[in-house]
Amino acid sequence: MNKMSVLVVDDNEIDRYILSRQLKENGIEDIFEQNDGESALSFIAQHENNVRQYGDKYPPVVIFLDINMPIIGGFDFLEKFSTLREELSLESCVIMMYSSSEREEDKRRASKFSFVKDYLVKGDLTPEILKEKLAPFMTSES
Amino acid sequence: MKISTKLLVIVILTLAEISLTLWSVFEISKGAKFHQLNSLHLKYSAVFSEQVDKLNSGYQIDTDMLRHTIEQIRQQPTECLAQVNILNEIIMKQIGTYHALGICEQDIIESNNALAILDKFDNKEIDEESAIVELKNYVLIFNENSSLFEKPIADTVSFVMRTMIPMVIFISLFNIIFIGYMSRSISGSIRGLISLMSSEGNNDELERKIDQNVSGELKELLDVTKERLTNEIMMNEVNEKLEAVVTARTRSLEKANSELEQFAYRTSHDLKAPLTSTKGLARFIIQDIEGGQLENAKDDASKIVEQMGKLESLVEGILSLSAANSDVENIKALDIRKLIDESKEPYSGDLESMNFKVVESIQLESPMISEEVRVKQIIDNLVSNAIKYADKAKEQPCVNISVYDDLDNYYLDVEDNGLGIPEHRQNEVFQMFKRFHPTVNKGSGLGMSIIKKHVDSLNGSIEMKSSEKGTKFSVVIPREITE
């Protein structure tokens, strides 16, 4: 059993539900959810509080990040997260984009951030693909 | 006087001066020539006298030699007469020296007579002695003619010198003064124009001064220059305006293009999102049915229904937007109260459960005349926003809808005490796909941009004031419908 934890940042409740269920099928039970880039950033900013509250479940190993969100979108989140990541020493924390956009431009833009490890397209994602994508992070964690 | 006329006068005066001078020189030299001819006449007369003297000493008469000498003597008066022109004759008549020409003619006649004596002698008509007497007589005549001829010629030459030289000097001085005056007048008018043109003062005053003080070629030059400059300035202005138009068009096209791009991107994204969600949910339902988890399957199926509802409202929104862009619409008198009632109807349940108060005030002097679909969608979206984003923390959620008019415009105010729009995002309100309270209501994010498009195509305006206390939208639609 993997004790890996993840954070899902998506404004769409159904998409969060679908991803969570697929994660759970892969044995991942510790799932934090945020409905916007803004709330996700303030959640991450309360680092010490989170560590105290969630123990070794925090920080999440993978953050699944939607692009289109109303207040702070995926790309703005990436900009802000890159500074936050250094401030809070979250180097172990990586991001997988989770979007319905298949635009090459969006993929290229996301890949410019070193900590963005993958780009998952909603609708194409199955539990099997997810397992494959998460494999490297699971072994490193075990 | 025109500059060209002045210059022409200068040229004529100079030409006159030069020709008068040349003529004087020529006449004076002619006088010298006459003196020279008279000297020759004297010389040949002396030769003739010598030859006649020799006859006295007993020499035979050599008629050929004598004839040759007499012909040489005759040559000078002939040349003199040939050189005299009408002007000379007039002058000589005036100063009383005209008889010099008579002397020439007389001399020629005497020469011919002397030759006739020789002819007679050759024909033996007269004897040698009487021929010699005759010839001696001609020696005297020729000498006398020479001495008589000298004085009138000297008088004539001295007259010419006495009159011509002062006249030439006078004309030259006159020319110098006159040309000096002319050039001063020309350069003066040019300088005057320069100082006029470089003076301060407005254009009208300058033009008046120019009309008063400038004429001739300088005025023409100014007129041509002015016309040319005016044309050039006009061309420049036209070009600048064209350039500005092109720039503005390009900018608006670029803006429209980027809006369209953004629209296509967001539309495809927002249309796709419920579909992909539905796909994922459908997979779960299959799994759950296979695993016998029918309650889960039912939950997911109702989520699919929710997604489909969302998709439906999005498609409707997009259709409304494209309707907002097109302008095929009848203008007619509208029943505003009915439109407001229709806008509340879908939310009747919510209104009741939230104890939501709707205050309506319609004060129209005359029925509103406009495009029904546009006005309906403006009202629908404003009213539904007020209801959807009601602030549950407030005791009495409410919306005030007021419609009124004046001579020029119709006014529609919709004021709620709802959640309001965060101050830092108020500039995004009329952009497409903007949602400000995603947790409260999952709208398409198109409502306000639909309103804006309709207001724009009705040549109206919309303003928003929003705070935590609520939001007020004020729409103004002009009565006159401009095509």
Side-chain angles (χ1 to χ4, degrees):
Chain A
M1 194 58 130
N2 286 290
K3 275 290 166 199
M4 175 179 170
S5 69
V6 298
L7 168 62
V8 178
V9 186
D10 196 326
D11 61 318
N12 188 324
E13 194 189 338
I14 305 290
D15 288 343
R16 289 203 303 274
Y17 164 75
I18 292 169
L19 183 59
S20 299
R21 185 164 159 169
Q22 288 179 338
L23 286 166
K24 281 173 189 158
E25 282 178 28
N26 280 297
I28 296 168
E29 296 290 337
D30 300 319
I31 302 167
F32 300 102
E33 287 186 21
Q34 293 296 334
N35 65 7
D36 194 88
E38 189 185 44
S39 59
L41 284 169
S42 49
F43 171 72
I44 295 166
Q46 298 168 341
H47 184 71
E48 283 175 27
N49 193 26
N50 292 336
V51 172
R52 213 167 28 246
Q53 195 174 343
Y54 303 111
D56 56 358
K57 289 177 188 171
Y58 195 86
V61 178
V62 180
I63 298 173
F64 292 93
L65 181 65
D66 186 21
I67 291 176
N68 286 302
M69 289 180 288
I71 303 171
I72 291 184
F75 292 118
D76 287 343
F77 176 90
L78 288 174
E79 297 281 355
K80 296 195 166 84
F81 178 73
S82 64
T83 43
L84 208 55
R85 188 170 174 263
E86 277 171 35
E87 279 170 27
L88 303 173
S89 314
L90 292 170
E91 281 82 4
S92 64
C93 190
V94 300
I95 285 177
M96 289 192 187
M97 303 309 289
Y98 178 60
S99 167
S100 60
S101 166
E102 290 180 85
R103 285 209 310 183
E104 280 308 314
E105 194 194 321
D106 287 340
K107 292 182 187 173
R108 212 172 25 247
R109 206 169 150 197
S111 68
K112 282 187 184 145
F113 295 87
S114 62
F115 47 84
V116 174
K117 295 297 173 195
D118 221 318
Y119 192 106
L120 312 177
V121 177
K122 289 177 187 177
D124 294 347
L125 192 65
T126 60
E128 292 73 32
I129 296 171
L130 192 59
K131 186 179 182 179
E132 210 176 283
K133 300 278 189 192
L134 289 175
F137 305 102
M138 285 182 158
T139 44
S140 70
E141 189 65 11
S142 62
Chain B
M1 204 194 280
K2 283 172 129 192
I3 290 178
S4 60
T5 322
K6 288 177 185 171
L7 289 173
L8 191 64
V9 169
I10 290 174
V11 169
I12 291 170
L13 281 175
T14 314
L15 276 177
E17 184 195 335
I18 290 170
S19 36
L20 188 67
T21 311
L22 284 177
W23 185 78
S24 308
V25 168
F26 181 71
E27 290 306 312
I28 288 166
S29 71
K30 199 191 268 179
K33 173 84 178 169
F34 284 7
H35 276 300
Q36 198 189 358
L37 288 171
N38 201 25
S39 305
L40 277 175
H41 192 269
L42 260 179
K43 182 188 153 195
Y44 291 121
S45 298
V47 171
F48 182 62
S49 161
E50 219 170 275
Q51 288 169 348
V52 173
D53 279 350
K54 278 180 184 170
L55 297 178
N56 272 340
S57 318
Y59 280 85
Q60 279 289 312
I61 291 179
D62 183 346
T63 50
D64 286 345
M65 191 179 69
L66 287 171
R67 195 174 272 122
H68 178 70
T69 308
I70 293 169
E71 276 166 3
Q72 278 181 323
I73 288 172
R74 195 182 55 184
Q75 187 62 35
Q76 285 85 47
T78 315
E79 266 184 51
C80 266
L81 288 176
Q83 295 209 5
V84 172
N85 56 35
I86 295 175
L87 195 61
N88 297 144
E89 284 175 17
I90 293 171
I91 290 172
M92 287 171 97
K93 273 179 189 163
Q94 291 300 316
I95 61 171
T97 55
Y98 187 65
H99 63 276
L101 299 181
I103 294 169
C104 286
E105 282 160 11
Q106 191 58 43
D107 200 63
I108 292 166
I109 295 167
E110 301 293 356
S111 303
N112 289 338
N113 291 343
L115 288 172
I117 297 290
L118 288 177
D119 289 342
K120 279 181 187 169
F121 176 74
D122 279 345
N123 297 334
K124 314 280 188 205
E125 287 171 24
I126 54 168
D127 60 11
E128 188 174 357
E129 200 174 331
S130 53
I132 291 171
V133 173
E134 289 280 342
L135 290 174
K136 266 189 181 174
N137 190 29
Y138 283 111
V139 169
L140 289 175
I141 289 171
F142 290 142
N143 277 331
E144 200 187 338
N145 279 348
S146 269
S147 60
L148 280 178
F149 185 73
E150 185 60 30
K151 191 171 181 298
I153 291 305
D155 284 351
T156 310
V157 169
S158 89
F159 171 79
V160 168
M161 289 196 28
R162 262 187 292 117
T163 50
M164 286 300 151
I165 289 172
M167 205 198 270
V168 166
I169 290 171
F170 172 75
I171 290 182
S172 303
L173 281 176
F174 174 78
N175 273 5
I176 288 168
I177 292 166
F178 189 75
I179 291 171
Y181 166 75
M182 285 293 183
S183 26
R184 272 179 71 88
S185 133
I186 292 171
S187 61
S189 50
I190 292 174
R191 266 199 307 276
L193 179 59
I194 290 172
S195 76
L196 250 186
M197 295 301 285
S198 39
S199 67
E200 303 284 322
N202 63 32
N203 275 350
D204 290 344
E205 201 183 323
L206 183 65
E207 260 179 50
R208 195 174 47 76
K209 280 187 185 164
I210 287 173
D211 282 341
Q212 280 172 2
N213 300 321
V214 187
S215 63
E217 285 95 340
L218 287 178
K219 183 76 170 61
E220 275 172 41
L221 173 70
L222 277 184
D223 289 344
V224 172
T225 313
K226 190 181 154 193
E227 198 177 321
R228 186 161 187 145
L229 280 177
T230 314
N231 282 345
E232 210 158 284
I233 289 168
M234 259 169 55
M235 279 306 291
N236 279 348
E237 253 173 49
V238 168
N239 283 347
E240 266 168 36
K241 272 183 193 153
L242 276 178
E243 229 163 81
V245 167
V246 171
T247 317
R249 290 261 164 85
T250 313
R251 208 170 292 147
S252 91
L253 275 179
E254 278 169 358
K255 192 171 161 244
N257 198 32
S258 104
E259 261 177 21
L260 195 65
E261 221 168 81
Q262 180 71 5
F263 178 75
Y265 173 61
R266 291 301 310 234
T267 313
S268 61
H269 173 269
D270 286 26
L271 285 173
K272 201 180 161 196
L275 291 176
T276 52
S277 306
T278 302
K279 195 165 138 191
L281 289 169
R283 277 199 199 109
F284 293 157
I285 292 172
I286 296 169
Q287 279 178 14
D288 287 343
I289 292 173
E290 280 169 355
Q293 310 253 345
L294 292 185
E295 274 306 310
N296 270 354
K298 205 176 144 189
D299 281 351
D300 287 350
S302 57
K303 281 186 179 118
I304 287 179
V305 172
E306 195 186 304
Q307 290 298 303
M308 290 300 105
K310 217 173 128 182
L311 188 60
E312 198 178 12
S313 79
L314 183 66
V315 170
E316 273 166 11
I318 291 167
L319 290 177
S320 308
L321 252 188
S322 62
N325 281 328
S326 63
D327 43 21
V328 277
E329 181 61 39
N330 295 328
I331 294 158
K332 61 178 184 182
L334 308 178
D335 185 347
I336 294 294
R337 190 167 299 279
K338 186 171 146 248
L339 292 181
I340 293 174
D341 287 343
E342 282 173 3
S343 71
K344 292 187 297 187
E345 220 223 72
Y347 303 95
S348 52
D350 294 326
L351 290 176
E352 209 167 299
S353 67
M354 284 193 290
N355 187 26
F356 198 104
K357 194 169 114 196
V358 180
V359 182
E360 293 164 35
S361 142
I362 300 171
Q363 286 173 325
L364 287 169
E365 292 296 318
S366 58
M368 181 170 178
I369 296 168
S370 192
E371 298 178 41
E372 185 169 30
V373 172
R374 295 191 195 282
V375 177
K376 180 179 162 57
Q377 287 193 6
I378 292 169
I379 293 174
D380 279 355
N381 279 294
L382 287 177
V383 171
S384 71
N385 278 349
I387 299 168
K388 284 192 284 189
Y389 303 105
D391 187 354
K392 286 177 181 126
K394 280 168 191 144
E395 211 172 293
Q396 169 77 76
C398 71
V399 60
N400 275 306
I401 305 164
S402 82
V403 185
Y404 53 99
D405 60 352
D406 62 18
L407 286 175
D408 302 320
N409 301 306
Y410 302 106
Y411 302 89
L412 167 65
D413 292 348
V414 177
E415 184 173 15
D416 63 40
N417 63 347
L419 293 165
I421 287 153
E423 207 178 327
H424 66 282
R425 297 192 60 203
Q426 288 184 0
N427 58 342
E428 301 171 25
V429 166
F430 297 110
Q431 296 174 13
M432 287 186 287
F433 302 105
K434 292 292 174 182
R435 283 151 40 205
F436 303 94
H437 304 288
T439 48
V440 178
N441 192 294
K442 306 257 181 247
S444 62
L446 290 174
M448 289 313 299
S449 57
I450 291 170
I451 292 173
K452 183 78 172 86
K453 281 230 153 72
H454 285 314
V455 170
D456 284 347
S457 66
L458 292 171
N459 292 319
S461 63
I462 180 163
E463 267 177 43
M464 182 198 71
K465 279 183 196 139
S466 186
S467 68
E468 285 171 6
K469 288 176 183 168
T471 307
K472 180 180 180 179
F473 286 99
S474 308
V475 181
V476 182
I477 297 168
R479 272 180 189 275
E480 264 182 49
I481 291 157
T482 46
E483 286 303 310

